[in-house]
C-alpha cells in the first residue's frame, strides 16, 4: 500500500516528538518490512530543512536527509502515483 506522509509526520519521526513518534516509528517499520511504501512531496525536504535549521547542525541535517532519501519515495509535485 502506498502512504503519503505529511511533513509533520516526518518531523515527528526526526525530532522524536511525543506522543506521535510511536505511530511514526510503526509506519517506518512497515516500510522497512516492505508492507507499505511511504511517499512524501519533494517540497517536504525543503520544509524539513527550514524547520530544523536552528535545532541541527548542517552536517546532522544532511545525514538526516540522506537517511530519509533511502527510506521515503519522493513524489514530485503534480506527479500521479
Amino acid at each position: 500500500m502506498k502512504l503519503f506522509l505529511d511533513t509533520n509526520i516526518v518531523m515527528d519521526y526526526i525530532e522524536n516528538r511525543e506522543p506521535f513518534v510511536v505511530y511514526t516509528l510503526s509506519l517506518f517499520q512497515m516500510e522497512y518490512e516492505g508492507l507499505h511504501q511511504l511517499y512524501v512531496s519533494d517540497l517536504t525536504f525543503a520544509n524539513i530543512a527550514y524547520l530544523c535549521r536552528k535545532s541541527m547542525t548542517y552536517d546532522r541535517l544532511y545525514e538526516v536527509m540522506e537517511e530519509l532519501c533511502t527510506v521515503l519515495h519522493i513524489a514530485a509535485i503534480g506527479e500521479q502515483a
Side-chain angles (χ1 to χ4, degrees):
M1 176 185 297
K2 294 178 180 180
L3 302 174
F4 186 82
L5 303 183
D6 179 80
T7 298
N8 290 314
I9 294 173
V10 180
M11 287 300 298
D12 292 339
Y13 175 75
I14 292 170
E15 295 190 340
N16 293 313
R17 297 193 294 202
E18 294 290 341
F20 310 109
V21 69
V22 174
Y23 306 111
T24 60
L25 287 174
S26 64
L27 285 173
F28 278 79
Q29 184 62 37
M30 287 184 229
E31 166 68 33
Y32 286 123
E33 293 173 0
L35 300 173
H36 297 299
Q37 293 176 325
L38 302 179
Y39 282 82
V40 294
S41 166
D42 52 1
L43 188 56
T44 297
F45 286 89
N47 292 338
I48 290 169
Y50 178 77
L51 293 170
C52 293
R53 72 190 187 285
K54 292 185 180 179
S55 63
M56 291 184 189
T57 65
Y58 177 77
D59 291 336
R60 177 64 185 135
L61 180 60
Y62 189 79
E63 290 172 8
V64 168
M65 294 288 195
E66 278 188 321
E67 177 189 344
L68 290 175
C69 284
T70 64
V71 177
L72 301 174
H73 302 273
I74 302 169
I77 294 175
E79 180 180 316
Q80 293 182 356

